[in-house]
Amino acid sequence: LLKSISLIVMKRPESTIIRDDLPIDSARVLITDNHLIDISSSLIRERISKGYTAKYLTPDAVIDYINKKELYRIGI
């Protein structure tokens, strides 16, 4: 896969684990620090199910899809 594409690895909140088999010294792999925001799909669905806004947590199209498919009922 790495012969065909470049890979950008974004760190997850509170995670320091980098896989040993990832060729991090490769010119085709970029590991980057980013602004970490602790937002989960469960949080978004929970907010929607309670009637709260999720406007700035995900695009409007995603909110519309969650409402249309009633995905806010999953896992709550």
Side-chain angles (χ1 to χ4, degrees), residues 7 17 19 31 33 35 37 50 54 57-60 63 67 72 75-76:
L7 182 65
I17 299 171
R19 289 178 38 171
I31 298 175
D33 290 317
H35 297 285
I37 303 171
K50 292 180 177 179
L57 302 177
T58 191
D60 290 343
I63 295 169
N67 282 318
Y72 52 84
I76 295 176

Side-chain angles (χ1 to χ4, degrees), residues 1 3 5 10 12 21 23 25 27 38-41 53 66:
L1 186 61
K3 291 178 183 178
I5 64 165
M10 307 293 276
R12 299 189 90 178
D21 61 339
D25 59 345
D38 193 13
I39 299 173
S40 67
S41 60
T53 185
I66 290 170

Side-chain angles (χ1 to χ4, degrees), residues 36-67:
L36 301 177
I37 303 171
D38 193 13
I39 299 173
S40 67
S41 60
S42 298
L43 171 72
I44 293 168
R45 291 192 311 268
E46 180 180 3
R47 289 186 60 83
I48 292 171
S49 75
K50 292 180 177 179
Y52 300 140
T53 185
K55 183 165 181 68
Y56 299 106
L57 302 177
T58 191
D60 290 343
V62 173
I63 295 169
D64 293 342
Y65 184 84
I66 290 170
N67 282 318

